[in-house]
Amino acid sequence: MTSSPEEESGSTADLDTAFGRLKDAWKQHQGLSYAQRMACLKALLTWVRKHKEELAETISADFGHRSREETLLAEVFTVVDEIRHTRSHLAEWMEEQPRPVSMTFKPGTAKVVWQPLGVVGVIAPWNYPFQLAILPMVAAISAGCRVLVKPSELAPRTAELFARMVGEVLPPDVAQVVTGGVEVSAAFSALPFDHLFFTGSTSVGRHVMRAAADNLTPVTLELGGKSPAIVHPSFPMARAAERIMAGKLFNAGQTCIAPDYVLVTRDQRDALVDQLVAAVGRAYPKLVDNPDYTAIINERHHARLQHAIQDARDKGARVVEVNPANETFDPQRRKLPPTLVLDGTDDMIVLQDEIFGPVLPVVAVDDIEAAIAYVNDRPRPLALYYFDWNSRRCDAMIQRTWSGGVCLNDTILHFSQLELPFGGVGPSGMGAYHGWYGFRTFSHEKGVFRQARVNGTKLISPPYGKLVNRALKVMIG
Ligand code: NAD
C-alpha cells in the first residue's frame, strides 16, 4: 500500500514538539550571538558547496527531470552568494545606528537597536524547493532568530534532504524542520510565531495571513502573479526575444518571476513571435532528451497547463507550439513544449491565472501607453520587464507602473542582486528579503531614546504656568 507524503513524514505532533523546543530555547537563551550566527551560516555554506551534486540529483528526482545547471545556478550559486554576502556584512548590519535628535530634546540621544524577533516560521513552495527554504532561514539566522521551516510536500525528496542538512549542521535549538502536507502547513501557519515568512501562491497566502492574524503574527508574503514583459518598438526584437525566452524557459517557466506574458505593439507582434520561436531553437535545439530542459513538477500541474492551452485554443486563440526537432512528447515524462498563445482574450485561463509553465501569451497593443494601461488595469505583479535603451522612457515606466521589482532589458536577474529588496506589492506579496532586507525583516527595529543627566523636561512639566507657555511658543512657532 502506498501512503501520501503527509502520512510518510511529519505530523502536527512533530510540529508542536519542534516549535516547543525552539520556544524553550528562546525562553532560556533568547536570540543568537554574532558568533553563533556566523558559525551557523558557515556550516550551511560548507554543506551546500559540498552537497551541490546531491542537491542537483535530488531536485531532479522530484521534478522528473531538472536541469543540473539550473539547480547549480538557482539553488546553489544563489545560496552560496547570499550566505557569503551575509557573512561579510553581518557585523555592520548588527551595529546600533545613532539617530539625530531635534533641538527640543537635546542633549538626549537616540539610536536604533536591532533585536531578533524571536521564534519564526518559514513555509516554502516546490518550484525552487531548496533555495526558497534556505534563503529565508539564512535571513532569520542572520537576524539572530530561531527558525522552524516547512518545505513543500510536492518536492518530498528535497524536503528530506533539507531536513537532513539542518539536522546535521545546525544546533537543534536554532533550527528545526517539519515535513508533511497541507494539514501540517495549515497547523504550522496557526502557531504563535514571532514572524511568519510564507512563499507560495496568492490564494494560499490569504489563508496564511488569516491564520497568522489570530495570533497577531506579522507576516512576510512572497506570492506570485502575472509578471508582464513589455517590448518597446525601437528595441532589437531578437535580443528581447532571447532574454524573454531565457527567463520564461528557466525551470520550464516554473518561476515566480518568469515573464508571464508579453506586451508588444501590434505592428511588431509577428516580428517578435518569429524571434521568440528562433530563440527557443537556438537555446534548445531539442527538448525531450535535452538535459537542459526541465520537466513539469507533477501530473496535476502538467494537466493544468495542457488544459489552459486547450482552453485558449477552444476560445479562438492561435497556439504556436515550438518544437524545434519535431519530437513526440510523452506525457509520462511531463516535458511540455514552449507554447506561444496569440490573439488571446481576457476570458482565457492563460490571460487570467498565473501560468507557471512554458506557455507565453503574446498580447498586441496599440502603443506603450496602452501597455502601461493594460498592466495598471490588472493586479499588481511580482516583476515587470521592460525592453528599451532609452533611459527617460525606462524611468517613466518605473514611475507609472506598480510591481514588486523591475528588470530592464533582461528578465529575472533582479532576483540575484544582493543589495536589492526582493518582494511583491499588493496581491504579489508584502515585505521583502535578500541581504540586508532579510536581516531587517527578521529584526525588531527598536527605537531607543536616552535622556541626558542635564535636560529641559522641567520646561514642559506640570504644574503648567508661564514657563511652559513660553516654551510652547518657541516649540510651535
Ligand atoms: P502553494 O501556495 O500551493 O504552496 C506553498 C506552501 O504552502 C507549501 O509548503 C504548502 O504546503 C503550503 N500550504 C498549502 N496550503 C496551506 C494552507 N492552507 N495554510 C498554510 N500553508 C499551506 O504554492 P506552490 O504551488 O508550492 O508554489 C507556486 C506559487 O508560489 C506560485 O504562485 C508562485 O508564483 C509562488 N512563488 C512565489 C515566490 C516569491 O518569491 N514571491 C517564489 C516561488 C513561488
Side-chain angles (χ1 to χ4, degrees):
M1 203 180 90
T2 56
S3 54
S4 70
E6 294 99 289
E7 289 161 335
E8 278 166 8
S9 57
S11 67
T12 47
D14 295 344
L15 180 61
D16 292 337
T17 310
F19 183 66
R21 182 154 196 180
L22 295 171
K23 272 287 187 200
D24 288 347
W26 180 267
K27 244 186 224 159
Q28 280 187 29
H29 310 290
Q30 294 81 47
L32 311 180
S33 68
Y34 172 73
Q36 285 174 310
R37 300 179 204 189
M38 289 294 277
C40 289
L41 294 172
K42 188 171 185 188
L44 287 171
L45 180 63
T46 306
W47 190 96
V48 172
R49 293 184 61 219
K50 187 167 161 208
H51 293 84
K52 60 182 193 296
E53 297 298 340
E54 188 180 356
L55 272 167
E57 280 158 26
T58 307
I59 296 174
S60 188
D62 273 336
F63 272 75
H65 174 74
R66 154 74 88 78
S67 149
R68 170 181 171 272
E69 284 74 13
E70 285 180 352
T71 294
L72 294 184
L73 282 165
E75 319 243 16
V76 176
F77 165 71
T78 309
V79 170
V80 164
D81 209 26
E82 177 85 11
I83 298 178
R84 285 192 182 128
H85 176 77
T86 303
R87 279 178 49 84
S88 62
H89 288 87
L90 187 57
E92 158 207 334
W93 295 344
M94 287 172 69
E95 275 172 19
E96 297 178 355
Q97 293 183 354
R99 291 291 160 87
V101 169
S102 73
M103 264 315 282
T104 318
F105 301 103
K106 277 182 178 165
T109 54
K111 64 182 177 184
V112 171
V113 174
W114 305 93
Q115 267 193 317
L117 280 174
V119 176
V120 300
V122 170
I123 302 180
W126 54 265
N127 62 325
Y128 293 93
F130 183 72
Q131 187 232 81
L132 294 170
I134 191 172
L135 286 188
M137 182 174 81
V138 162
I141 290 173
S142 80
C145 294
R146 298 179 191 272
V147 55
L148 183 57
V149 184
K150 160 66 186 66
S152 172
E153 67 279 10
L154 297 190
R157 298 169 188 84
T158 312
E160 287 307 326
L161 183 60
F162 184 84
R164 198 188 91 198
M165 171 191 74
V166 170
E168 276 173 23
V169 305
L170 296 180
D173 62 353
V174 169
Q176 292 271 328
V177 179
V178 286
T179 54
V182 171
E183 192 198 326
V184 174
S185 299
F188 189 104
S189 58
L191 289 173
F193 287 110
D194 295 302
H195 192 89
L196 184 54
F197 190 106
F198 170 80
T199 306
S201 59
T202 300
S203 57
V204 174
R206 288 199 176 90
H207 291 291
V208 168
M209 193 163 170
R210 227 174 269 135
D214 279 342
N215 302 310
L216 283 182
T217 293
V219 289
T220 299
L221 300 178
E222 297 281 343
L223 309 177
K226 292 182 79 62
S227 298
I230 305 172
V231 186
H232 190 273
S234 67
F235 196 88
M237 288 294 137
R239 190 162 179 157
E242 188 186 302
R243 299 317 303 157
I244 290 169
M245 273 328 209
K248 185 67 178 183
L249 299 183
F250 197 88
N251 207 26
Q254 301 163 105
T255 304
C256 56
I257 47 169
D260 189 275
Y261 63 96
V262 188
L263 292 165
V264 61
T265 53
R266 219 168 288 290
D267 54 335
Q268 298 277 340
R269 193 204 58 181
D270 291 348
L272 180 66
V273 168
D274 289 347
Q275 292 298 340
L276 289 167
V277 172
V280 176
R282 279 194 303 275
Y284 305 93
K286 57 179 186 168
L287 295 157
V288 176
D289 284 321
N290 185 343
D292 294 348
Y293 196 61
T294 292
I296 303 302
I297 185 78
N298 60 23
E299 271 168 36
R300 183 168 64 81
H301 279 282
H302 189 256
R304 173 185 67 77
L305 287 160
Q306 285 189 316
H307 172 66
I309 296 167
Q310 191 54 43
D311 169 79
R313 243 191 222 113
D314 293 347
K315 290 175 181 160
R318 187 148 70 85
V319 172
V320 180
E321 190 181 285
V322 192
N323 185 355
N326 240 335
E327 292 161 289
T328 307
F329 284 77
D330 172 5
Q332 297 290 322
R333 294 177 67 182
R334 299 195 307 272
K335 282 201 173 178
L336 199 70
T339 305
L340 307 178
V341 178
L342 317 181
D343 303 321
T345 48
D346 282 348
D347 59 340
M348 295 175 185
I349 294 168
V350 288
L351 286 168
Q352 286 179 353
D353 297 349
E354 178 182 2
I355 293 173
F356 225 57
V359 181
L360 184 71
V362 180
V363 179
V365 287
D366 289 338
D367 50 25
I368 293 297
E369 277 305 309
I372 292 175
Y374 188 99
V375 171
N376 286 341
D377 279 349
R378 287 165 172 74
R380 294 173 172 185
L382 184 56
L384 181 141
Y385 303 110
Y386 182 47
F387 291 84
D388 190 346
W389 294 125
N390 180 293
S391 305
R392 195 179 41 78
R393 285 195 303 257
C394 286
D395 288 346
M397 180 63 73
I398 295 167
Q399 293 297 334
R400 295 181 58 202
T401 56
W402 279 260
S403 59
V406 169
C407 180
L408 299 169
N409 307 324
D410 213 321
T411 56
I412 71 179
L413 295 182
H414 61 303
F415 181 90
S416 309
Q417 306 313 311
L418 299 165
E419 301 277 357
L420 288 183
F422 180 78
V425 57
S428 56
M430 61 183 71
Y433 71 134
H434 288 190
W436 178 76
Y437 296 93
F439 169 82
R440 184 186 186 185
T441 286
F442 287 105
S443 296
H444 171 49
E445 294 177 60
K446 185 181 268 187
V448 178
F449 177 74
R450 184 190 163 107
Q451 185 58 282
R453 203 183 289 265
V454 179
N455 59 66
T457 45
K458 268 266 175 281
L459 291 175
I460 51 168
S461 303
Y464 299 124
K466 270 192 191 150
L467 201 57
V468 75
N469 281 293
R470 236 180 264 151
L472 278 169
K473 247 189 195 155
V474 176
M475 286 158 70
I476 298 169

